[in-house]
Amino acid sequence: MTPAERARRSAQTMWESDAASHWLGMELVEVEEGRAVLSLPVQAHHCNGHGICHGGVTFALADSAFAFACNSRNRVTVAQHNAITYLAPAHKGDVLTAVAVEIALTGRSGICDVRVVDQTGRAIAEFRGNSRAIGGTLFDEEEQ
């Protein structure tokens, strides 16, 4: 199995059970080893009392992209610590895209940066996630 095939299969396995990302309206755009792209059209129910996309929704999109990038090697991996910086507001009708790129992986610990942009490429948020592999796999590669 190639790294690209493993990443796609890992993502497919996770996506089938990811009720939260589906419920929020996310779309898994692409995945490869150590990288994932998800998008989300901002709808009225994503907006807060200021009429802008709720920060928790932006965080959730970044966190989901982070999760798919971290799990792309078929090693069950979870968040150990995440931080986000909001740079600009998103509004109803915007389409947010989160691009997650693993920048370091040593043993069971990794670091992944996620940039969230709108449909014009304007930066909405920067997210950094620290991951930890906890053991196990998403699917059995022996059955391939």
Side-chain angles (χ1 to χ4, degrees), residues 4-49:
E5 291 169 337
R6 182 175 295 109
R8 284 191 298 274
R9 179 70 189 276
S10 295
Q12 175 188 4
T13 301
M14 284 180 57
W15 187 250
E16 289 172 358
S17 299
D18 189 346
S21 295
H22 287 275
W23 180 75
L24 283 164
M26 295 179 199
E27 176 187 350
L28 178 61
V29 177
E30 64 182 77
V31 66
E32 57 190 69
E33 187 176 82
R35 184 175 183 277
V37 179
L38 273 74
S39 68
L40 173 73
V42 179
Q43 299 176 33
H45 65 273
H46 295 129
C47 295
N48 63 21

Side-chain angles (χ1 to χ4, degrees), residues 91-105:
H91 300 91
K92 179 183 169 189
D94 285 341
V95 177
L96 301 183
T97 300
V99 179
V101 179
E102 196 172 60
I103 62 165
L105 182 61

